[in-house]
Amino acid sequence: MPPFGGRRRRKICRFCEHKISYIDFKDERMLSRFVTERGKIVPRRVSGTCAKHQRLLTQAIKRSRQMAIMAFESESFR
Amino acid sequence: MVRTYETTFIVNPQADDATIDRQVRAVTDLITGNGGEIVHEDRIGTRRMAYEVAGLTQGFYASIIHKSETSVLPQLDRHFKLEEPYIRYMTIVYEGDIERLKGDRDQAPERAARPTGKPETKPETKPEAKPEAKAEEKTEAKAEEKTEPEPEKEATVTKSEAPRAGEADTVEATAETPAESEESDKTKQPPADEEL
């Protein structure tokens, strides 16, 4: 529940909406939307992702970090 | 047991194109030599890496999706470890749609031929000359109010270039109304206390 008690539109999982069952770890453009400026993975209460896709997303992001497609930590914050 | 795997690796981009091609083919030959089947091969190309690896900031990425026995995996690992040009490698079980990849395979040569990082230049369309000619005709006939589907766009252009006297008044009139509307809005806006 939001702290102000006001109504907030329920976020729909983007992957469920588009019926995506596989998240490619090479797709940096899509994965970067679920990562903060510092390079941290956004929690699903913020992104609105469902539990199943959040697990797949986390796995894809970690693989892309291993393959140097995405950074572990953004350099701008060092 | 036959499974679908995706092998992604990074090659040193400082080598020649022929050398890089040879290194990628070495991997595909290793897979096919052990009874595997290449489903999709994607040479992504040279791209900037997120962090420095082996003193390099760029790498040539390639991805191969193949159906092979599990016994191929340790051979692939050995090949990548012993050979120098391979910077990083990773093999995962591929869970995506294979049939969709087979359709993309036909487009792979076209994608490889496309230049990277350059915007696609749109071909010049011949009909551009016709609207310009029509715009010239319309500027001559401003007094006549003609309504046609295509020249309407040019007519708006001509109006912006040379506004008529009547239209200038209307523009000023419309300019006045936002100020009036703002005043009316101020009276209509509820006080800040009521919002809470």
Side-chain angles (χ1 to χ4, degrees), chain A residues 17-54:
Chain A
E17 191 180 8
H18 298 287
K19 294 179 184 173
I20 296 169
S21 59
Y22 175 71
I23 300 172
D24 190 10
F25 70 94
K26 299 186 294 296
D27 193 355
E28 182 206 354
R29 200 173 160 188
M30 189 268 290
L31 293 176
S32 60
R33 290 179 201 161
F34 297 93
V35 151
T36 63
E37 286 181 1
R38 200 171 172 178
K40 298 166 89 172
I41 300 171
V42 170
R44 73 179 190 97
R45 59 184 165 82
V46 172
S47 62
T49 316
C50 68
K52 173 188 165 189
H53 285 113
Q54 181 71 9

Side-chain angles (χ1 to χ4, degrees), chain A residues 26 28 65-68 70, chain B residues 6 47 50-51 61 88:
Chain A
K26 299 186 294 296
E28 182 206 354
R65 284 172 177 171
Q66 283 285 326
M67 293 303 294
M70 290 176 73
Chain B
E6 181 178 7
R47 60 168 287 171
Y51 50 87
Y61 283 76
R88 282 276 165 97

Side-chain angles (χ1 to χ4, degrees), chain B residues 5-16:
Chain B
Y5 298 103
E6 181 178 7
T7 300
T8 310
F9 54 93
I10 309 172
V11 176
N12 192 338
Q14 292 170 354
D16 309 337

Side-chain angles (χ1 to χ4, degrees), chain A residues 21-22 24-29 56 59 62-73 75 78, chain B residues 6 8-10 42 44 47-51 53 61 63 88-90 92-97:
Chain A
S21 59
Y22 175 71
D24 190 10
F25 70 94
K26 299 186 294 296
D27 193 355
E28 182 206 354
R29 200 173 160 188
L56 295 174
Q59 190 185 59
K62 288 179 178 178
R63 281 174 180 168
S64 70
R65 284 172 177 171
Q66 283 285 326
M67 293 303 294
I69 294 168
M70 290 176 73
F72 285 94
E73 188 181 346
E75 290 178 0
R78 283 186 183 167
Chain B
E6 181 178 7
T8 310
F9 54 93
I10 309 172
D42 189 10
I44 298 161
R47 60 168 287 171
R48 193 166 172 268
M49 293 194 281
Y51 50 87
V53 178
Y61 283 76
S63 171
R88 282 276 165 97
Y89 61 94
M90 184 169 69
I92 57 169
V93 174
Y94 186 72
E95 291 167 356
D97 192 5

Side-chain angles (χ1 to χ4, degrees), chain B residues 99-128:
Chain B
E99 290 174 8
R100 189 183 161 190
L101 288 170
K102 286 179 181 174
D104 290 344
R105 195 200 295 180
D106 298 335
Q107 298 172 12
E110 296 172 3
R111 219 190 307 159
R114 239 185 265 159
T116 54
K118 292 178 186 175
E120 292 179 7
T121 55
K122 293 181 183 178
E124 294 180 0
T125 53
K126 288 182 181 178
E128 288 179 1

